[in-house]
Amino acid sequence: MNKKIISTILITSILTGCNTHSIEDQPEGKVVVDNKDYTMIGSDYSWKGNKIEVNTKSSPDINELADQFKTLEVKKGDTLRLEIERNPSSITAIKLNEDGTSDNVEIKDNKITMPSDDGYYIYKLKTTWDKGKETFIFDVNIN
C-alpha cells in the first residue's frame, strides 16, 4: 500500500514540475504569406530559464524536418514575413538549393525575398536570444 501512495505522489510531482515549464517556454516561429500564418518546424532548441534548462539536440535531418512542414507555393520574387516570438537578438537565414548548395539570405525588416528561379528550396533560420537558441525550418516551391 505504501509503495502505491509513494508512486502516486512521485508521478504527480513529476507531472506538476513538467507542466510549469517545458514546452510553453519554447518560442514559436511563423512565416506569413498572403496574410496567412504557417508555423515553422522548430529544432535544435536550447533555453536557460530561471529554474530550468532545456536542450533538444536529437533532431531528424533537414529533409525530414521540411517534410513535416506543408510546402508553401509561392511566386518568384514574393516577399515572406517572419514572426518569431520573444524578439530574437539575431536571425540568420540559409537557403538550401535542390542541387545541395546553400546561400545566405538577407533578412530586412523581418522579411525575405524569394528567389527569381523556379524550384524547391528549404529555408533554415538560426535564431538566438540572450537565454537560448532555436533553428526553424520551412520549405517553398517556386513556379
Side-chain angles (χ1 to χ4, degrees):
M1 183 73 170
N2 286 340
K3 288 183 180 180
K4 286 184 181 180
I5 292 171
I6 292 172
S7 294
T8 303
I9 291 170
L10 183 60
I11 290 170
T12 303
S13 297
I14 291 169
L15 292 175
T16 302
C18 290
N19 286 338
T20 58
H21 301 290
S22 71
I23 296 299
E24 66 189 30
D25 288 341
Q26 186 168 351
E28 187 174 78
K30 295 180 181 182
V31 58
V32 182
V33 182
D34 295 329
N35 295 317
K36 292 181 185 172
D37 295 356
Y38 301 91
T39 301
M40 294 182 276
I41 305 301
S43 72
D44 295 332
Y45 171 68
S46 67
W47 198 267
K48 291 182 183 179
N50 293 335
K51 297 181 181 180
I52 192 167
E53 183 173 333
V54 180
N55 288 296
T56 60
K57 297 288 183 193
S58 58
S59 300
D61 96 355
I62 192 144
N63 293 307
E64 290 177 37
L65 290 167
D67 286 345
Q68 296 174 31
F69 184 83
K70 183 181 181 222
T71 304
L72 300 174
E73 297 292 330
V74 296
K75 294 179 181 144
K76 298 175 189 174
D78 275 359
T79 300
L80 308 184
R81 192 172 81 241
L82 307 172
E83 291 182 356
I84 300 174
E85 291 178 340
R86 298 189 186 167
N87 299 317
S89 54
S90 74
I91 304 173
T92 304
I94 300 166
K95 174 179 56 100
L96 303 168
N97 305 305
E98 288 179 290
D99 64 4
T101 61
S102 63
D103 300 301
N104 288 327
V105 176
E106 181 182 12
I107 300 173
K108 189 172 182 179
D109 299 325
N110 290 324
K111 295 177 183 173
I112 58 175
T113 302
M114 294 292 98
S116 57
D117 294 327
D118 289 345
Y120 172 77
Y121 302 93
I122 297 174
Y123 284 82
K124 180 178 185 178
L125 305 176
K126 293 184 175 192
T127 56
T128 306
W129 297 262
D130 59 345
K131 292 186 176 187
K133 63 180 182 163
E134 185 170 9
T135 300
F136 292 102
I137 307 295
F138 71 95
D139 58 348
V140 299
N141 192 34
I142 299 175
N143 46 24

